[in-house]
Amino acid sequence: MTSQIPKHAQILVTGGGPPGSFAASALSRERLHVVLLEAAQFPRYHIGESLIPSVRHYLKFIDVDKKVIEMGFQKKPGDAHLLPDTDFAGLGHFNSVWNMVRSEFDKLLLDHSASCGAKVFEQTSVKSLRFSTTEPSRPVAAEWLRSVDGETGENSFDYLVDASRPNTCATVIDVFIPLHDGTTSVDVVMNQDMYNEKVRALKGSSIEEHYRLFTALAPGLIELLGPAKLVQKEVVGGQPGQLDPLIASASDFSYSASSYGGPGFRVVGDAG
């Protein structure tokens, strides 16, 4: 969004997904100098299309709630969680949220952070961090690489917000999310080691065959799907007629960090 990456920022945010975009928006609205580096080019595919009611307060806090409403996402009247130890639900007018297309939602939040004053740079990944010589656990600068032209550089900062995605493994869930365009997102999330083991046993099968096999393991999901069929959708922001893959995959859906902060840095969102 901005061409020249500053040499220094009060706050460097790494990762432009919802946590990074939120942090950049909130901090920029406080008139702080914020630089956000995002490795991908938005819009881009991502899993996790259903919001929970508590997010409404955060959207209002950065004044983006009206923009989200105007996107016309599928509205849902609340949220319910069925857990081994407890069940809870939040329904009603003030608890309504949306099922959204992540590529559209995430780009909206990233663009909003730029409109709040953050300096946003896409296709720019952080390759390494440099730490203080007097305070070894405090990061003070980031080496970055811009994939579009191979340019490299360093950005020093006073504080770091790490909203990037580490390389760790996922839990196991099935997700059924109706969307505003008449389609339904059906996701299978499983432990990486479990997935690798099952795929090795299938020997050369396609990702579509993996998907059909794993969804068939959830009878309740199959009942919800009924006579539904797999369809391809046009790429958000792409060329006319350009289609997303029939089946898409993404790693690192759920994980935790051993520490959520330290001298001069905080870890947020997927990074935590």
Side-chain angles (χ1 to χ4, degrees):
M1 295 180 182
T2 308
S3 57
Q4 190 63 41
I5 300 179
K7 296 292 186 182
H8 180 80
Q10 281 183 283
I11 302 169
L12 176 67
V13 178
T14 60
S21 294
F22 176 86
S25 297
L27 294 167
S28 296
R29 287 164 63 87
E30 296 297 324
R31 301 184 181 277
L32 297 170
H33 179 224
V34 179
V35 171
L36 185 153
L37 303 181
E38 164 56 45
Q41 175 68 53
F42 282 31
R44 54 87 177 96
Y45 167 81
H46 203 289
I47 192 175
E49 298 91 345
S50 189
L51 296 173
I52 59 176
S54 59
V55 80
R56 293 291 296 265
H57 305 289
Y58 295 96
L59 297 177
K60 290 178 181 178
F61 183 75
I62 60 171
D63 200 26
V64 74
D65 52 320
K66 291 181 180 178
K67 292 181 181 179
V68 176
I69 293 172
E70 290 170 358
M71 292 294 290
F73 293 129
Q74 174 68 44
K75 191 173 182 179
K76 67 176 186 178
D79 202 43
H81 297 264
L82 305 178
L83 303 172
D85 299 325
T86 182
D87 298 344
F88 62 92
L91 302 174
H93 175 71
F94 294 106
N95 280 319
S96 64
V97 277
W98 308 272
N99 295 335
M100 73 299 184
V101 176
R102 279 293 301 272
S103 54
E104 298 178 21
F105 179 74
D106 289 10
K107 179 167 173 45
L108 171 66
L109 294 186
L110 185 66
D111 291 346
H112 182 72
S113 71
S115 71
C116 291
K119 306 298 182 184
V120 175
F121 300 89
E122 298 176 78
Q123 296 180 288
T124 306
S125 57
V126 172
K127 309 309 293 182
S128 64
L129 294 175
R130 180 163 58 83
F131 289 81
S132 169
T133 56
T134 58
E135 195 175 358
S137 60
R138 185 184 186 96
V140 295
E143 180 188 356
W144 51 263
L145 168 66
R146 189 159 55 196
S147 60
V148 67
D149 56 12
E151 183 180 349
T152 61
E154 185 177 85
N155 177 272
S156 62
F157 50 79
D158 299 330
Y159 298 96
L160 172 69
V161 176
D162 181 4
S164 59
R165 303 180 65 214
N167 295 316
T168 45
C169 64
T171 184
V172 183
I173 55 174
D174 297 296
V175 187
F176 180 95
I177 304 174
L179 301 174
H180 68 292
D181 59 7
T183 63
T184 298
S185 173
V186 180
D187 307 321
V188 179
V189 186
M190 57 196 310
N191 177 276
Q192 186 70 60
D193 292 336
M194 181 188 301
Y195 175 81
N196 291 341
E197 180 181 350
K198 290 182 178 295
V199 168
R200 279 194 296 268
L202 295 173
K203 292 184 179 178
S205 55
S206 67
I207 189 172
E208 181 178 344
E209 291 172 309
H210 303 165
Y211 179 78
R212 291 185 183 277
L213 171 65
F214 298 144
T215 53
L217 298 175
L221 181 63
I222 296 301
E223 184 178 351
L224 285 172
L225 289 172
K229 62 180 181 179
L230 289 170
V231 296
Q232 285 182 277
K233 298 164 66 174
E234 286 201 3
V235 176
V236 175
Q239 299 296 320
Q242 182 182 358
L243 299 176
D244 277 323
L246 184 63
I247 304 293
S249 64
S251 62
D252 308 335
F253 180 76
S254 177
Y255 26 76
S256 62
S258 58
S259 175
Y260 294 96
F265 76 91
R266 290 294 182 269
V267 177
V268 302
D270 284 357

